[in-house]
Amino acid sequence: MPDDPLELHTGQNVAEFMAAMRRLKAWSGLTYRQLEERAETAGEVLPRSTLASALERQRLPRPALVEAFVRACGCDHDTVAAWAALSRRLAEATDVAETTEVAGVADPEPDVGERGPRRRQPTGEFPAHRRLSKGRGVLPLRQ
């Protein structure tokens, strides 16, 4: 594993980027709790549960999380900026790839006449499962 965290941000795709983020965490030697505390000290929000989930996935986390994470790992401003720039480039490339896959397959926007999910209109009456039981009788709720 490289001693310089600058070498860890050289992912060419999302999977490599996420693997590099996991390596950066290992390089830092910090626990999720310690990373959360360091981010909080710097005035940033980096919940340990969110970070743990993000590092387990193969999807790009949001840019603010990447920046807070890299900063909490102890990297300088230039390193944080490099990681953030790579994250943005990968996100843009992913968006373009997804748009290209969808193009020509189907119109992603619904027709104007298409209805959304049906919803029940309130009737003003309470259903049977909303009644209170008192002793042997069943009393309806006040309306």
Side-chain angles (χ1 to χ4, degrees):
M1 186 174 323
D3 291 330
D4 184 3
L6 280 169
E7 295 177 31
L8 299 175
H9 73 276
T10 58
Q12 298 300 315
N13 58 45
V14 174
E16 290 177 8
F17 184 82
M18 296 310 299
M21 283 187 70
R22 288 187 284 275
R23 286 194 306 271
L24 180 59
K25 182 194 176 298
W27 173 88
S28 75
L30 300 170
T31 66
Y32 290 113
R33 183 181 303 273
Q34 291 169 323
L35 289 167
E36 179 181 42
E37 290 169 354
R38 286 181 108 182
E40 187 177 335
T41 300
E44 297 179 302
V45 177
L46 185 64
R48 61 182 173 267
S49 59
T50 302
L51 178 58
S53 294
L55 292 180
E56 290 174 4
R57 296 186 181 138
Q58 288 301 315
R59 286 183 297 173
L60 282 173
R62 63 187 202 288
L65 186 139
V66 173
E67 292 179 27
F69 167 70
V70 175
R71 197 171 291 111
C73 284
C75 297
D76 63 17
H77 177 73
D78 292 339
T79 304
V80 172
W83 277 80
L86 178 58
S87 173
R88 280 192 290 287
R89 280 195 306 273
L90 290 173
E92 289 170 5
T94 302
D95 289 344
V96 168
E98 288 174 359
T99 303
T100 304
E101 289 174 12
V102 174
V105 176
D107 185 7
E109 299 206 15
D111 292 334
V112 174
E114 200 172 300
R115 291 183 139 178
R118 292 183 64 190
R119 298 179 193 257
R120 295 178 98 180
Q121 295 297 322
T123 62
E125 297 179 17
F126 290 100
H129 70 275
R130 299 278 315 258
R131 294 183 186 163
L132 295 176
S133 174
K134 183 175 182 180
R136 294 181 188 223
V138 176
L139 301 173
L141 293 173
R142 281 192 271 159
Q143 294 184 3

